[in-house]
Amino acid sequence: MIEFRNISKVYKMGEVEFVALKGVFIAVQKGGFISIMGPSGSGKSTLMNIIGCLDTPTEGSYYLDGENVSGLTFDQLSTIRNRKVGFVFQNFNLLPYASAYENIELPMLFNGKKNTERKRRVNELLEMVGLLPWARHRPTEMSGGQQQRVAIARALAMDPPIILADEPTGNLDSKSGHEIMDIFSRLWKEGRTILMVTHDPAIAAFSQSTIRLLDGAVQENGAAH
Amino acid sequence: MRVQLLHLFWNEFRKRREKTSLITFAIAWGALSLLLLMSFGRGLSNAGSVNFKGLGNTLIMVSRGQTSKPYQGLPRARRIHIHMEDLELLKRQIPGIAMISPEANNNHSISYHSKESNRSINGVYPCFAEMRSQVPQAGGRFINDLDQEKARRVAFIGWNVAKELFGGGNPVGKEIRIERTPFTVVGVMKKKQQSSTYQGPDSETVYIPFSTFCQIDFQRFLDRIHIRPADPKDALFMENQVRRILGRKYRFADDDANAVNFWNTIRDYETGAKIFKGIEIFLSIIGGLTLLIGAVGVTNLMYAVVKERTREIGIKMALGARRRHIVMQFFLETSVIFFKGTLWGTLVAFNIVSLVNLIPVGYEDFGIKAYLLRPIFSFDILIIFLVVLCVLVFVSGIFPALRASRQNPIDALRYE
Ligand SMILES: Nc1ncnc2c1ncn2[C@@H]1O[C@H](COP(=O)(O)OP(=O)(O)OP(=O)(O)O)[C@@H](O)[C@H]1O
Ligand SMILES: [Mg+2]
């Protein structure tokens, strides 16, 4: 479902070039649960962003569902981000002045889903993450764990087949972290493909296999748990 | 653009309202100054033309002069007087004359009971009233053709003369004396604004039929001949015709500008109108520049807003927002801010103009008040204003919006 062929990413900062990924080959099957590990700066987030079509590789080709994504326009990539992937970030990235309800609704607004359908879906998701009473609250009024659950609900709004989570538990205590992981396990069992960056072996233990990165290169692929 | 997105944009705008209130205020201020400058400029220009008409509406005045160059062996500096038969001559020889009236005047004592004063007594034809914008107050009239024909002893008096002799009472029908000869007052002049005079304001003058004037005052010359051309466009041409005809009779050069004097209100009015229009345009440009500075400020503030919301833009892009969604949101936001600011500015300007117009302006206030206290807020001002505004909205809205949409989603998400 996800296939990287010789992907490289070079960041230019003025004169200085920084190679964040070099010659990466990976393949992730549908329904996989992969954790991505590696030291800070090894290119984990860069990899995730390219998978999620937030960023484009400098070299190489990326096939998503058999389609080469490399030549697509911004708006075509927007459609992929909207329908095929759901992002969960370490720092939640919720809109501060929107309620939990409005945050979850957002991806559906960009897609033009009907009013009644949006309402049904948002309530369904709020119930799933156990936050129905918090629908009208803003992120600032919620705990980290609750905010991350809103973020997960938002990632699921368009019912995407792929979930990309970049250190989803990084800002949470271990109890909230485990609650989040329970949700991910459930999503995986429902048949979604999950890629998750983490530093924590206990969190990585939830996944099927691990990709280890070092200095932008894949060091180890497929260590099973 | 989908309706639910508009709804989203509106909601976000409402929630961040306080953050844009300064921008709204800047726009309101710019709109207010532009509209006020345009309205006061228009008022100024209007007061200018009203005052010009106070002297006379499309009028050429001819009066005596002195030659400024030798002609056919005659020396310069000869005095040229005009006489009653010149009026007949001009009337015969110039077909384009719509109205013509002689005017002769002299100061005489006038009295009513014990009140006495010395005023300019002017002998004129009935058409003089029309040419010089003199309208009688209700209950009275100007001197008429029969008065002139029968040399009746009737007088039409300026409102200041009426006040002087009668106080608050009604002068019409009363008998006054001019040098001991009894005259019946037939009318009092309605107040008017007048910026130019030649022998004191009309409000302090007494008008009697020309024929009657000849019986009480024995001067040989006319002081002035007033002419109205049938077509105001002929004003200059007619002035030259008059000069030529009189030049032939009194023997002075056609191009001697001082042999007889002309006061051509049509020509004055045209230059005056141009000057006032110039002032009006100048004020509008200043107002426009104020608004432009406002718009530059708004553009900058919108750039700041875009910057402040960078992360939010990144989040939306990650969730599937297209470029045009981002452009639309910021552009619409700028438009709404402009709309709000303009609405306030316009309302305040409109009210100021209305309030200023409530300040009474006396008819003797020929000067500053009449020019400054009668601003006009007209429809075409509003149209020009709105066109200027639309251009500014577009310019200050589109660039920040484009910048917002052209960001790289990753950089936007990493923005602190
Ligand atoms: N937009 C960017 N511009 C310039 N350099 C970048 C950019 N994004 C990432 N980098 C650099 O690329 C390298 C890899 O970054 P990346 O965020 O992928 O690391 P990471 O493995 O996610 O690290 P961490 O565990 O700290 O999140 C880093 O050295 C980073 O400084
Ligand atoms: Mg990272």
Side-chain angles (χ1 to χ4, degrees):
Chain A
M1 164 169 241
I2 293 167
E3 193 185 350
F4 271 34
R5 292 189 194 159
N6 199 18
I7 293 277
S8 294
K9 179 73 191 180
V10 181
Y11 287 113
K12 278 203 186 74
M13 292 165 291
E15 295 292 290
V16 190
E17 289 194 348
F18 186 88
V19 183
L21 287 179
K22 42 193 163 200
V24 172
F25 287 84
I26 52 167
V28 177
Q29 298 307 313
K30 187 174 176 355
F33 189 166
I34 315 290
S35 56
I36 299 167
M37 299 184 81
S40 186
S42 56
K44 303 183 298 291
S45 297
T46 307
L47 183 80
M48 291 289 267
N49 291 335
I50 292 175
I51 294 174
C53 294
L54 268 176
D55 211 348
T56 47
T58 319
E59 250 176 74
S61 29
Y62 165 30
Y63 290 83
L64 179 61
D65 280 341
E67 181 189 16
N68 189 344
V69 168
S70 308
L72 299 184
T73 64
F74 182 94
D75 283 357
Q76 287 169 321
L77 293 176
S78 282
T79 308
I80 293 179
R81 290 195 289 266
N82 187 255
R83 306 220 176 130
K84 292 203 173 162
V85 295
F87 286 97
V88 178
F89 301 93
Q90 178 175 0
N91 55 2
F92 322 132
N93 275 336
L94 298 174
L95 295 186
Y97 40 79
S99 65
Y101 186 100
E102 287 163 338
N103 265 293
I104 297 171
E105 193 183 23
L106 208 53
M108 292 187 275
L109 290 176
F110 294 125
N111 193 267
K113 281 252 190 312
K114 287 211 174 56
N115 218 336
T116 48
E117 201 184 334
R118 292 200 312 269
K119 201 167 179 170
R120 187 187 54 73
R121 182 72 180 149
V122 173
N123 284 320
E124 189 179 292
L125 289 165
L126 278 167
E127 192 167 0
M128 189 203 107
V129 296
L131 288 175
L132 212 42
W134 292 83
R136 296 291 155 205
H137 290 259
R138 292 191 184 192
T140 46
E141 298 160 358
M142 292 189 251
S143 74
Q146 288 172 320
Q147 289 187 53
Q148 194 60 301
R149 280 186 276 159
V150 173
I152 293 173
R154 185 179 68 180
L156 292 170
M158 291 298 295
D159 199 11
I162 303 170
I163 300 292
L164 300 175
D166 194 345
E167 299 190 45
T169 59
N171 282 4
L172 304 178
D173 59 90
S174 62
K175 184 172 165 286
S176 309
H178 276 89
E179 281 171 19
I180 298 298
M181 288 320 295
D182 286 340
I183 298 177
F184 278 134
S185 300
R186 218 155 69 218
L187 293 175
W188 175 47
K189 279 173 196 138
E190 282 170 9
R192 274 177 243 266
T193 310
I194 298 178
L195 285 97
M196 174 183 69
V197 173
T198 183
H199 288 290
D200 184 349
I203 296 294
F206 283 85
S207 68
Q208 262 184 323
S209 67
T210 300
I211 297 174
R212 283 185 188 278
L213 289 181
L214 186 65
D215 293 336
V218 179
Q219 194 195 27
E220 184 188 339
N221 190 347
H225 294 277
Chain B
M1 187 57 50
R2 298 179 165 121
V3 182
Q4 53 262 62
L5 272 178
L6 293 180
H7 193 80
L8 170 76
F9 298 162
W10 176 248
N11 262 336
E12 294 192 350
F13 175 73
R14 258 184 345 132
K15 285 174 182 162
R16 305 180 68 260
R17 213 166 16 195
E18 320 85 67
K19 300 203 172 183
T20 53
S21 56
L22 185 68
I23 313 181
T24 313
F25 180 77
I27 296 292
W29 187 259
L32 177 66
S33 25
L34 175 57
L35 283 174
L36 283 186
L37 282 168
M38 285 174 97
S39 302
F40 278 89
R42 177 62 58 85
L44 196 70
S45 166
N46 190 55
S49 66
V50 166
N51 279 351
F52 268 110
K53 283 181 182 139
L55 175 68
N57 212 344
T58 57
L59 185 67
I60 302 169
M61 269 177 272
V62 194
S63 57
R64 67 171 160 266
Q66 203 170 20
T67 57
S68 59
K69 48 179 84 167
Y71 183 70
Q72 295 181 348
L74 294 164
R76 55 194 289 276
R78 272 182 306 129
R79 286 183 182 283
I80 306 292
H81 288 283
I82 46 179
H83 302 81
M84 193 54 197
E85 65 269 18
D86 299 339
L87 183 136
E88 299 301 330
L89 183 71
L90 293 174
K91 210 155 107 184
R92 266 202 315 278
Q93 299 208 348
I94 306 177
I97 292 180
M99 291 177 190
I100 187 161
S101 168
E103 184 179 17
N105 69 282
N106 233 331
N107 279 19
H108 289 285
S109 77
I110 59 171
S111 60
Y112 177 69
H113 294 315
S114 59
K115 294 207 183 83
E116 190 172 335
S117 123
N118 204 43
R119 286 289 165 221
S120 171
I121 310 297
N122 296 26
V124 295
Y125 278 180
C127 64
F128 183 85
E130 162 80 30
M131 282 190 278
R132 291 285 307 279
S133 328
Q134 294 184 350
V135 181
Q137 290 177 11
R141 63 172 179 85
F142 197 70
I143 52 181
N144 61 23
D145 288 334
L146 215 58
D147 299 333
Q148 164 65 20
E149 200 178 302
K150 305 221 154 120
R152 282 174 174 162
R153 288 161 200 249
V154 291
F156 179 80
I157 61 180
W159 68 90
N160 276 340
V161 178
K163 208 160 88 189
E164 200 171 43
L165 294 183
F166 298 91
N170 179 13
V172 176
K174 304 274 164 44
E175 201 172 82
I176 58 171
R177 279 166 194 275
I178 301 178
E179 300 291 356
R180 273 179 227 96
T181 315
F183 277 76
T184 309
V185 177
V186 291
V188 180
M189 193 188 305
K190 205 168 175 178
K191 292 181 176 183
K192 62 173 182 172
Q193 285 184 26
Q194 177 183 13
S195 61
S196 354
T197 64
Y198 46 82
Q199 45 126 77
D202 293 359
S203 61
E204 293 174 3
T205 304
V206 174
Y207 294 95
I208 62 175
F210 185 76
S211 49
T212 320
F213 184 86
C214 293
Q215 295 173 354
I216 63 160
D217 189 293
F218 306 106
Q219 67 178 45
R220 294 184 297 129
F221 316 122
L222 290 182
D223 288 282
R224 278 163 294 276
I225 295 176
H226 300 257
I227 304 168
R228 173 185 284 184
D231 186 346
K233 284 203 284 294
D234 292 340
L236 198 60
F237 174 69
M238 195 166 285
E239 186 181 314
N240 290 331
Q241 265 182 312
V242 171
R243 190 180 283 116
R244 216 170 37 246
I245 292 166
L246 294 180
R248 230 173 291 141
K249 181 171 170 195
Y250 294 111
R251 300 178 64 200
F252 58 82
D254 285 353
D255 58 351
D256 190 340
N258 301 323
V260 288
N261 278 316
F262 284 91
W263 190 345
N264 194 329
T265 66
I266 303 160
R267 209 168 62 195
D268 284 359
Y269 176 72
E270 280 167 3
T271 25
K274 273 182 206 145
I275 291 170
F276 279 112
K277 203 77 203 164
I279 295 175
E280 189 186 335
I281 291 170
F282 176 70
L283 289 178
S284 305
I285 289 173
I286 291 179
L289 289 178
T290 314
L291 194 62
L292 188 70
I293 291 168
V296 170
V298 170
T299 313
N300 266 323
L301 290 168
M302 285 312 291
Y303 273 127
V305 167
V306 166
K307 202 156 189 164
E308 188 193 319
R309 298 173 71 177
T310 300
R311 204 187 171 81
E312 176 198 324
I313 295 166
I315 296 172
K316 285 183 179 157
M317 286 174 165
L319 298 178
R322 297 173 173 220
R323 287 218 197 278
R324 64 167 175 278
H325 297 151
I326 307 291
V327 175
M328 271 319 247
Q329 171 155 27
F330 284 95
F331 187 70
L332 286 177
E333 200 154 293
T334 315
S335 308
V336 170
I337 290 170
F338 258 98
F339 180 78
K340 263 177 69 180
T342 310
L343 197 67
W344 280 113
T346 311
L347 283 177
V348 173
F350 182 77
N351 280 305
I352 289 179
V353 166
S354 308
L355 284 178
V356 167
N357 267 301
L358 291 181
I359 300 173
V361 174
Y363 284 92
E364 280 95 357
D365 295 327
F366 297 141
I368 198 90
K369 280 189 182 169
Y371 286 95
L372 282 187
L373 297 183
R374 287 295 172 267
I376 295 170
F377 190 94
S378 74
F379 189 66
D380 59 321
I381 286 181
L382 201 64
I383 295 291
I384 297 173
F385 169 71
L386 287 178
V387 169
V388 171
L389 199 78
C390 285
V391 173
L392 291 182
V393 172
F394 187 78
V395 172
S396 43
I398 200 72
F399 293 109
L402 285 177
R403 177 180 290 183
S405 78
R406 296 234 168 99
Q407 296 181 96
N408 182 338
I410 287 300
D411 294 335
L413 277 170
R414 284 164 61 106
Y415 184 83
E416 290 303 331

